[in-house]
Amino acid sequence: MNLFGQTIEDLHRLCADNGLPKFAAKQIADWLYNKRVLNIDQMTNLSLKARAQLAVSCAVGRRHFAGCMVSTDGTKKYLFPLEGEKYVETVFIPDKERGTVCVSSQVGCKMGCKFCVTGKQGFHGHLSVADILNQIAGIDEADQITNIVFMGMGEPFDNYDNVLKATQILTSEWGFAMSPRRITVSTVGVLPRIRDFIEQSQCHLAISLHSSYGNERASIMPIQNAYAHSEIVRLLRKYDWSGQRRLSFEYIVFKGMNDDLLHAKKLAQLLHGLPCRVNLIRFHASPGTPFASSDEKTMENFRNCLNDNGIVCTIRASRGEDIMAACGLLAGKRVGS
């Protein structure tokens, strides 16, 4: 059993099963998530007997990254090994006083979005809670992280239980003790899980939209056929977004497809009155995709149209494209494989 990725309730049960005092659970959690030790022997405020007993059936369960690439803009892409000779990628993005880590939740993805390199791989497994958290604690810049986004490989809400548990450990006082306002979870629109997440978590929510026209969205995002974007927005309107919790929509801008002012006005109409923001994302080309990125002026016109219509909109800076670390490019492969 891996200790890393266990909640305080899990650790209480573990201590009870091993005849350890209840307070030992918090000590173990402190070693795991605050001091971030790599083996049980380092938990020196536990007795030698307790450590030996835990070591019989438990391990910390941390993994070292298998590779790292550095972009010309300072972005770093890490490759983490998983069981079964699988790999997953994690991206660290430094920006002045801000350090954002983009974590993955699955090996590959089931969602089949036509523009995404990860989706072309198909689905090869869910990440465990430990696998998710290891992407945060296991990079060289772990102490520089200020923000976490679940926007890497996979659909977070298709691995909902493990993602939710990871965010609980990240935000709990006995865990990483991060503010939920520093964490954003993105989804292509798994409607039932959106409802669950809003009610069970205080982290920010991001919806991958990419078109406000249903047929067009369905042509690039099969999830639209199961959960229409109009139904998602209808659900979101039932909740209060006027506080510190942020709702955002991700919109990749494709040249000649969804980048004209007609699309911008349709999007403004869809989101009218909903406290949210729209992040415009440049499309990052990959072999075999029929899409192209819009030019800067077109994106600026799109942004200005949304802002003029009362929708807060920004253009996200593109980072790490030269090392295939930008949005939609993660593949989880060893260099040369």
Side-chain angles (χ1 to χ4, degrees):
M1 171 183 173
N2 287 335
L3 296 176
F4 197 66
Q6 302 300 314
T7 66
I8 195 69
E9 291 80 14
D10 296 331
L11 295 175
H12 279 143
R13 287 190 290 271
L14 177 69
C15 289
D17 291 344
N18 284 272
L20 302 179
K22 187 175 181 179
F23 64 80
K26 194 165 185 179
Q27 292 176 315
I28 295 171
D30 181 61
W31 286 111
L32 293 172
Y33 305 125
N34 182 25
K35 300 183 176 68
R36 302 184 190 181
V37 298
L38 298 177
N39 60 70
I40 292 173
D41 284 340
Q42 293 175 290
M43 301 180 182
T44 53
N45 59 354
L46 298 179
S47 68
L48 287 172
K49 180 180 178 181
R51 280 179 272 166
Q53 190 169 344
L54 285 176
V56 171
S57 58
C58 300
V60 168
R62 292 274 304 279
R63 295 176 187 267
H64 194 267
F65 57 84
C68 178
M69 298 179 70
V70 183
S71 167
T72 54
D73 63 26
T75 298
K76 296 180 72 173
K77 183 172 72 170
Y78 289 91
L79 185 72
F80 281 97
L82 307 171
E83 291 185 5
E85 297 185 356
K86 298 173 184 176
Y87 297 87
V88 71
E89 290 178 336
T90 306
V91 179
F92 177 75
I93 307 168
D95 186 11
K96 298 178 182 178
E97 301 303 314
R98 184 185 180 103
T100 300
V101 62
C102 178
V103 303
S104 299
S105 56
Q106 294 178 313
V107 184
C109 186
K110 298 178 186 176
M111 298 298 111
C113 297
K114 304 302 182 183
F115 47 83
C116 180
V117 170
T118 305
K120 292 181 180 180
Q121 302 177 37
F123 174 71
H124 300 287
H126 295 303
L127 268 64
S128 68
V129 180
D131 291 332
I132 294 171
L133 295 178
N134 195 53
Q135 298 172 73
I136 297 159
I139 65 174
D140 289 340
E141 297 79 13
D143 292 337
Q144 301 172 35
I145 295 171
T146 61
N147 296 77
I148 298 170
V149 293
F150 284 76
M151 298 181 181
M153 297 172 63
E155 163 53 48
F157 285 179
D158 191 41
N159 188 17
Y160 182 79
D161 291 342
N162 287 345
V163 168
L164 183 67
K165 191 173 180 180
T167 62
Q168 289 170 340
I169 293 171
L170 286 168
T171 58
S172 294
E173 172 272 331
W174 48 262
F176 286 70
M178 290 189 69
S179 167
R181 310 307 182 201
R182 296 286 185 174
I183 301 171
T184 300
V185 180
S186 178
T187 176
V188 295
V190 184
L191 189 63
R193 291 311 196 182
I194 292 175
R195 182 185 300 108
D196 293 340
F197 183 76
I198 294 171
E199 297 179 356
Q200 296 172 2
S201 174
Q202 290 299 311
C203 296
H204 297 315
L205 175 66
I207 309 293
S208 295
L209 189 60
H210 312 319
S211 179
S212 51
Y213 290 91
N215 290 342
E216 184 176 74
R217 188 171 189 261
S219 71
I220 58 173
M221 300 179 70
I223 192 70
Q224 173 72 12
N225 296 313
Y227 304 115
H229 67 306
S230 57
E231 293 297 318
I232 294 169
V233 172
R234 187 173 294 114
L235 171 67
L236 295 172
R237 290 188 185 279
K238 296 180 180 180
Y239 295 91
D240 180 14
W241 300 97
S242 60
Q244 291 184 319
R245 188 179 197 181
R246 186 173 64 243
L247 171 65
S248 59
F249 291 87
E250 312 296 316
Y251 193 99
I252 297 176
V253 188
F254 302 106
K255 182 178 181 180
M257 180 182 139
N258 67 346
D259 62 350
D260 56 45
L261 295 184
L262 187 64
H263 277 80
K265 292 175 181 177
K266 178 74 171 177
L267 180 57
Q269 182 182 33
L270 175 70
L271 303 180
H272 177 72
L274 182 63
C276 65
R277 67 175 60 197
V278 173
N279 295 316
L280 300 184
I281 303 171
R282 294 172 180 82
F283 173 67
H284 302 105
S286 60
T289 57
F291 308 104
S293 179
S294 296
D295 60 66
E296 191 71 18
K297 183 62 177 176
T298 300
M299 293 186 69
E300 290 174 354
N301 289 340
F302 197 104
R303 176 199 62 195
N304 294 342
C305 180
L306 285 178
N307 285 329
D308 290 345
N309 281 274
I311 306 296
V312 176
C313 180
T314 59
I315 299 174
R316 181 182 292 169
S318 182
R319 301 288 300 271
E321 186 173 7
D322 58 323
I323 58 168
M324 295 289 285
C327 292
L329 297 182
L330 299 185
K333 293 183 179 181
R334 276 187 175 275
V335 175
S337 64

